[in-house]
Amino acid sequence: MAVENAAEHGHSAADYIVHHLTFLSNKEAGSIIDFSVIHWDSVFFSVLLAVAFGGSFYFAARKATSGVPGKFQGFVELIVEFVDNQVKESFHTRSPLIAPLSLTIFCWVFLFNFMDLIPVDLLPTIAGALGIPYLKVVPSTDVNVTFALSITVFLLTIYYSIKMKGLGGFVGEFTLQPFSSKNKFVQVLLIPANLVLEIVPFVARPVSLSLRLFGNLFAGEMVFLLIALLTLGGIEKLGTVSGWLGVFGHLLLGLVWAIFHILIITLQAFIFMVLSIIYLAMAHEHH
Amino acid sequence: MNINLTLIVQMVVFAVLIWFTMKFVWPFIIGAMEERAKKIATGLAAAEKGERELAQARANADAIIREARERASQIIDHAQHRANELIEQAKAAATQEGQRLVAAAQQQIDLEANRAREALRKEVAELAVTTASKLLEREIDARAHADLISKLAAQI
């Protein structure tokens, strides 16, 4: 629909894609990092999904019974037990935070990703009709959102490292390994090398964590956009043979990619959760 | 594509959501699951205990029935034994009585026969004496010949 509109208004395919990749923000960003800018659509959808997740799980938790569980409670328990098993597998210290954190990550990220399965033009078109110029519906295609998750996990990792090992232990992890020596003087000489070798992967963790999720979902959304462009972009008007072929091709390709995407969105949510658990477990473990 | 205030807002939202899950969702669901697990464990243990008790009771009942059967057969054996004994006793008594009767009858017969024989002998002796006295035509003093007569009688 948007494609046709775009065609009517004389816009090109590039304009269509750029339109879909533009956030609804309060103003143009001055530079690559500009904290006066906010993406209203990312915030709106992620808060909406947070409320959906929190509300439904709170509802289940309130009515949770140790007797025969209802269908919804059974569903919630299935997810909770799945997450709990994942946590127990890699986490040997009892922590009241890690398991709920993992559940939150898994469900919230899954819901972010799930927005990708809503037809790409549906919500932006509705929003356009309501006078909202831009709308990106998938929060995990916003680097701010994915970085917010990974940086929070990163900060928790630092917090738990210092809490469990002390500041000295935490610093020691960066300076006394992988190269260590009994000789004090040699050890001092080795500190710069250790620092570089340890800090780079440590800082790379939140970056890779967030960019993995972002990249997968961004690419997924892009494929949906390309499918729409390829099959419906060149349609002059419906009813012609090429028009019908385009509609048929759109249905087929869209269906195939959506089904494949179900795997991707679940897998990415799972990977994000598992890596967060592992990072936090590493923070708890002594070397 | 830029880093902006959304990042900070999202971190706050994330933190609040984690706190909410930790406070109001996780404990209740995990609590319910653990309680159910405990219930099931207790139920299973109770079922196992009941089964064990049932088996025990069955074994007890079997033992009691076996004992009762043994006792019954013992009583029957004993009774049969006693009956046999009584029959044997009665038989023995009857045989003894019969023998006694036969012996008594025999004695009686012997007695009678002896008596008859005695009488016969006496009579024969007398007859002989009478016959002899007739033959000799004189009386034989029975007294004087008593020993002769008795000798004679003994010979017969």
Side-chain angles (χ1 to χ4, degrees):
Chain A
M1 283 181 283
V3 183
E4 285 162 52
N5 289 341
E8 273 171 32
H9 294 293
H11 292 312
S12 66
D15 285 340
Y16 171 71
I17 290 193
V18 167
H19 180 267
H20 266 286
L21 295 184
T22 309
F23 289 98
L24 178 69
S25 50
N26 53 347
K27 60 174 189 177
E28 284 285 314
S31 62
I32 191 103
I33 297 174
D34 185 349
F35 281 105
S36 63
V37 176
I38 186 162
H39 292 159
W40 292 118
D41 43 7
S42 294
V43 172
F44 172 75
F45 280 111
S46 57
V47 170
L48 183 76
L49 294 171
V51 170
F53 158 69
S56 59
F57 272 57
Y58 179 70
F59 177 74
R62 261 293 119 102
K63 295 190 126 191
T65 162
S66 62
V68 180
K71 284 199 176 78
F72 185 62
Q73 194 192 335
F75 171 69
V76 168
E77 281 183 6
L78 190 77
I79 298 173
V80 166
E81 193 171 17
F82 168 70
V83 172
D84 199 36
N85 284 339
Q86 291 298 328
V87 173
K88 275 181 187 149
E89 255 173 42
S90 46
F91 212 85
H92 305 298
T93 334
R94 286 296 285 176
S95 163
L97 175 73
I98 306 307
L101 170 89
S102 311
L103 178 69
T104 310
I105 290 177
F106 181 65
C107 294
W108 208 26
V109 172
F110 177 79
L111 289 174
F112 285 170
N113 299 351
F114 186 79
M115 296 300 285
D116 212 4
L117 291 178
I118 297 172
V120 279
D121 280 321
L122 183 63
L123 294 178
T125 307
I126 293 172
L130 293 172
I132 298 166
Y134 300 106
L135 193 70
K136 266 177 79 76
V137 296
V138 189
S140 44
T141 56
D142 185 347
V143 273
N144 290 292
V145 175
T146 58
F147 264 112
L149 294 172
S150 69
I151 288 175
T152 308
V153 171
F154 182 66
L155 293 180
L156 281 172
T157 311
I158 295 173
Y159 168 73
Y160 277 114
S161 287
I162 294 174
K163 190 185 169 194
M164 301 302 289
K165 301 161 195 162
L167 194 60
F170 181 60
V171 173
E173 280 195 341
F174 288 95
T175 51
L176 304 179
Q177 49 166 345
F179 302 119
S180 59
S181 166
K182 292 254 193 299
N183 188 324
K184 283 264 158 66
F185 179 70
V186 176
Q187 182 63 62
V188 170
L189 282 180
L190 286 172
I191 283 177
N194 286 340
L195 216 51
V196 170
L197 281 172
E198 284 295 317
I199 280 185
V200 168
F202 191 67
V203 173
R205 278 187 200 167
V207 176
S208 68
L209 191 59
S210 61
L211 287 185
R212 179 184 301 109
L213 178 62
F214 165 74
N216 272 282
L217 270 292
F218 185 81
E221 195 189 28
M222 191 61 85
V223 171
F224 277 121
L225 290 175
L226 291 176
I227 288 173
L229 262 181
L230 183 74
T231 53
L232 301 177
I235 296 174
E236 292 298 315
K237 58 173 187 258
L238 281 175
T240 61
V241 175
S242 70
W244 285 116
L245 271 177
V247 170
F248 177 73
H250 182 77
L251 287 177
L252 186 71
L253 287 175
L255 181 69
V256 168
W257 182 243
I259 289 171
F260 182 59
H261 214 52
I262 291 173
L263 176 70
I264 293 178
I265 63 174
T266 318
L267 198 63
Q268 287 305 320
F270 176 69
I271 288 172
F272 203 104
M273 177 189 77
V274 168
L275 285 176
S276 303
I277 295 170
I278 288 172
Y279 293 155
L280 287 164
M282 282 162 80
H284 279 73
E285 272 162 19
H286 292 264
H287 287 282
Chain B
M1 198 59 52
N2 56 63
I3 300 293
N4 55 40
L5 189 60
T6 316
L7 176 77
I8 311 294
V9 175
Q10 285 297 322
M11 283 174 72
V12 174
V13 173
F14 186 39
V16 171
L17 191 58
I18 292 170
W19 170 81
F20 181 83
T21 311
M22 199 169 92
K23 209 85 189 162
F24 298 108
V25 175
W26 188 268
F28 296 100
I29 295 173
I30 280 287
M33 284 164 72
E34 273 167 5
E35 203 179 315
R36 185 178 315 122
K38 218 174 285 168
K39 266 188 194 171
I40 291 173
T42 338
L44 284 178
E48 208 168 299
K49 197 177 157 219
E51 219 163 276
R52 223 177 308 125
E53 275 173 359
L54 182 66
Q56 182 72 42
R58 264 208 195 115
N60 280 354
D62 279 354
I64 288 170
I65 288 170
R66 207 176 311 120
E67 203 184 341
R69 261 201 207 116
E70 240 161 61
R71 227 169 130 62
S73 70
Q74 247 174 25
I75 288 170
I76 289 169
D77 274 359
H78 195 248
Q80 239 157 15
H81 195 71
R82 183 96 188 97
N84 283 344
E85 220 171 52
L86 281 178
I87 289 169
E88 286 302 318
Q89 262 178 11
K91 255 189 203 158
T95 314
Q96 222 170 357
E97 182 67 9
Q99 276 169 352
R100 199 181 59 78
L101 283 178
V102 169
Q106 193 67 47
Q107 220 171 2
Q108 193 73 27
I109 291 166
D110 286 351
L111 207 66
E112 288 298 322
N114 276 350
R115 198 178 291 157
R117 205 177 283 143
E118 238 12 79
L120 204 60
R121 203 178 276 157
K122 234 175 240 166
E123 223 157 287
V124 168
E126 262 166 40
L127 203 66
V129 170
T130 319
T131 318
S133 57
K134 269 184 186 155
L135 282 174
L136 297 172
E137 293 197 330
R138 64 169 175 137
E139 206 162 337
I140 300 169
D141 191 0
R143 223 176 294 151
H145 301 284
D147 54 325
L148 190 74
I149 293 166
S150 58
K151 232 182 256 170
L152 195 71
Q155 273 174 0
I156 298 169

